Amino acid sequence: MKHKAVVLGANYYIGLSVIRCLGVNGVHVVAVDYSDKNTYGFYSKYCSETLVGPHYKKDPEAFLEFLIEYAKKQDNPPVLFPCADPYVEFLDKYLSVLRKYFLIPQTEENLYTKLMNKDTLRDLAIKHDVLVPETLTTDDENLIEKVEEIIKYPCLVKPVDSHAFVAKFRKKLFKVYNKEELISSIKLANKENIEVIVQRIIPGFDDHMYTFDAYLNQDAKITHWVTCQKMRQYPINFGASVYTQQKYVPELYEIGSRFLEGVKFKGFAEIEFKKDSNTGKYYLIEVNVRTTNLNNLLYKVGINMPYIAYMELTGSPLSPKAITSDKNLVFWYAYEDFLAVKGYIKTKQLTLLQVIKSYFRPKAYAIWDYNDPQPFIVFLRSLLDKISGKLFK
């Protein structure tokens, strides 16, 4: 392997899964983060180098220079893997510069941002005949009346830029039940200069959430794909996957391929859909343009997305492949799933018996790996320190 792989973000299990997916195939993996404190991805046996650089947000210019200087020292341009939304935003901002020194699947500037931004994503979905939940912007005339007539209560107040919203409010959105809560939520977001939209809630429990995970080559054609069904999320109802099964849903390929190939996307993308429990129709909720939380599940069922990208970008593309049967495997992020289960039981959305029954299945773990245990040990140690700190307070 002549080209190194540079993984941006090693303090979360997404980066760890990318490190493992590449390292297990003999790729020289360089893990980059802004701190080595509790950065458990650094401890993977598949990590060949670790680098601590400037903070991507506090000093992006310094971080850019840091990456360029590293790339200049290599005999061959490294392949770049951003493993969190802020890293994707950074990459998109400096894409034209970074492409001179790194191998990156995306060639169109600002496409990552267009797909991450809820406003532009909605416009692109409509353009390509993909259903999206009914949505209003906060500057729509007669907003309150339109919400009552079109959207109905309860409804969602969602950020256009998810990362900024989560960083401030520690949640992905506001669920509001009346006019007063709607006005209050919009004012709260405006006070922080965070743009929001108002959206209809698609009916259905969390197991009506599905994902279409795909890799598109440099011709913007899908070569690899798999579909999954969420079982539980955290925070409950409007959060990230914590217990998700691989589930073959051919309809999602029809919708997802039309959209991703239509916008000329290149590289890995994950579309999240929700199936309307009343109509059975699938609505596009959001698009992840970095490696998914479910990456280890995709790997375990036979689709190694990071390695697929690496091989194509270094001139040796792998044969196309899709998972067209159910493999009876689930992704499990135990720490947040236990928190989610508490919420589901408290709100009577699930019973304890239903939860217990769900655990008797083969699993693709978020952090634990029998062949690479050190990251889990580091994560567990930091978690116990965090818990003891709270108890001490």
Side-chain angles (χ1 to χ4, degrees), residues 9-71:
N11 62 355
Y12 196 55
Y13 62 82
I14 294 177
L16 174 62
S17 70
V18 173
I19 291 168
R20 287 170 169 166
C21 281
L22 295 168
V24 75
N25 285 287
V27 177
H28 183 109
V29 181
V30 184
V32 179
D33 216 299
Y34 57 84
S35 171
D36 58 3
K37 185 179 179 181
N38 300 326
T39 307
Y40 51 85
F42 279 2
Y43 295 86
S44 171
K45 73 176 186 179
Y46 299 108
C47 192
S48 304
E49 288 183 61
T50 61
L51 301 175
V52 176
H55 197 286
Y56 55 82
K57 194 166 187 177
K58 294 178 180 176
D59 199 348
E61 295 290 340
F63 185 51
L64 176 65
E65 189 61 29
F66 172 82
L67 291 176
I68 291 173
E69 287 303 311
Y70 179 81

Side-chain angles (χ1 to χ4, degrees), residues 251-267:
E251 301 99 308
L252 297 184
Y253 173 78
E254 300 301 323
I255 305 170
S257 61
R258 180 171 71 245
F259 178 76
L260 292 175
E261 292 181 354
V263 300
K264 307 296 184 186
F265 191 84
K266 299 174 184 177

Side-chain angles (χ1 to χ4, degrees), residues 19 45 50 74 113 115 188 211 232 281 290 296 329 335 342 364:
I19 291 168
K45 73 176 186 179
T50 61
Q74 310 309 312
T113 302
L115 294 175
L188 192 59
T211 67
R232 295 191 288 274
K281 295 180 178 179
R290 42 80 185 150
N296 194 36
L329 194 66
Y335 169 56
K342 180 181 177 181

